[in-house]
Amino acid sequence: MLRGLQLVDSRHLSGSVFSAAGFVTALPENIRERLLAHGRSRCFAKGELIQQRGDPGREFWYILSGSVQIGRFSVDGELTLFALLGPGESFGEQAFLGEFPRLVDAIAGTETKLIQVGEKELEAAIASDPSVARILLKAMAHMVQRGFDLVEAGRNLSTVDRVAQTLLRQCNEGDRNVTITVTQQSLADLVGVSRVSLGKALDKIEQSGLISRRYGRIIVRDRDKLSRLLGG
């Protein structure tokens, strides 16, 4: 179920404060700033393990800069990529709030700076504003809804649309020349298609002049034009 987390249709979710960014983004600005100010700043080098499947969920993470790969390592060390997250997004809330072991591994995709938030910081945020608890409940409900959206998207969208959506998820509105650090094999795993199918989809998008491919990265030339292509 998690494999296609990035495939939720950004056209329908763009107006939602919970659109795949975690509940931190939805907090009132003053509460969010206070929560993050009391968290612990952590830096991770590219490829460094941030959290491991099976670890106790004693905290969650907010991304200040860089990128984070979410997935699972197999017994032979291969990573199946579920999601690629960027600045302004958070992860680890489910295990933290549910008090169960981590379900996924998280690895720094690039040099990454995070804020680590634990129980003490969250309790202080809830105590300062009762709306924080309500936002938490809405965020969890939204995660369930994204699962249903994923099933629907997988049935109806073409590979080109699914790839375009995944790239759009890494850009903010109005962004141009955004570099996404990801290999084509990792992107294929993320979308849930073969490397060959991914290559064909990228060819079509690149022929439209909306992206450029480089070794280990993809450059989105114009996020808004890519979104309009998807809408068409």
Side-chain angles (χ1 to χ4, degrees):
M1 179 62 72
L2 288 174
R3 174 178 288 275
L5 198 60
Q6 300 284 63
L7 305 185
V8 179
D9 192 338
S10 61
R11 291 170 294 170
H12 300 311
L13 295 181
S14 60
S16 170
V17 291
F18 303 114
S19 57
F23 81 90
V24 176
T25 302
L27 293 172
E29 184 177 359
N30 62 320
I31 302 297
R32 180 172 64 250
E33 291 179 353
R34 192 180 310 156
L35 177 68
L36 296 177
H38 285 85
R40 179 186 175 192
S41 179
R42 299 280 306 276
C43 294
F44 293 87
K46 180 180 179 180
E48 188 174 357
L49 187 66
I50 299 168
Q51 68 176 44
Q52 189 170 19
R53 181 164 49 130
D55 286 347
R58 296 195 180 99
E59 69 281 308
F60 63 94
W61 307 87
Y62 179 84
I63 305 173
L64 287 177
S65 63
S67 64
V68 175
Q69 298 173 338
I70 304 295
R72 283 184 178 175
F73 283 107
S74 64
V75 292
D76 59 1
E78 291 294 322
L79 176 67
T80 297
L81 192 63
F82 297 156
L84 181 64
L85 306 181
E89 296 185 297
S90 56
F91 61 96
E93 298 100 327
Q94 286 178 295
F96 172 72
L97 295 171
E99 297 183 342
F100 50 75
R102 302 290 189 194
L103 299 177
V104 295
D105 300 301
I107 305 94
T110 60
E111 185 175 336
T112 302
K113 186 174 183 179
L114 308 176
I115 297 293
Q116 179 182 339
V117 181
E119 185 174 352
K120 180 180 178 181
E121 292 80 17
L122 183 59
E123 286 182 349
I126 293 174
S128 68
D129 189 333
S131 68
V132 174
R134 176 65 174 166
I135 289 170
L136 280 172
L137 292 174
K138 285 184 177 180
M140 295 302 103
H142 188 75
M143 288 182 179
V144 174
Q145 183 59 51
R146 286 210 311 268
F148 288 114
D149 289 341
L150 165 63
V151 173
E152 188 67 19
R155 290 174 178 171
N156 299 326
L157 296 180
S158 69
T159 300
V160 171
D161 284 343
R162 293 162 67 187
V163 172
Q165 285 182 344
T166 303
L167 297 176
L168 285 170
R169 281 276 295 108
Q170 309 307 315
C171 308
N172 296 315
E173 188 172 350
D175 276 351
R176 295 188 178 187
N177 297 319
V178 177
T179 298
I180 301 171
T181 304
V182 62
T183 66
Q184 290 194 32
Q185 184 59 62
S186 293
L187 187 58
D189 292 340
L190 185 60
V191 177
V193 298
S194 70
R195 175 75 178 271
V196 173
S197 295
L198 175 77
K200 291 178 179 179
L202 289 175
D203 283 343
K204 290 182 179 180
I205 299 173
E206 190 169 30
Q207 287 167 10
S208 300
L210 301 177
I211 66 169
S212 297
R213 283 179 282 182
R214 302 289 187 270
Y215 180 76
R217 54 197 171 99
I218 295 173
I219 302 170
V220 178
R221 293 301 180 189
D222 191 317
R223 188 266 183 204
D224 291 347
K225 286 185 178 179
L226 181 60
S227 181
R228 288 196 291 273
L229 174 69
L230 182 61

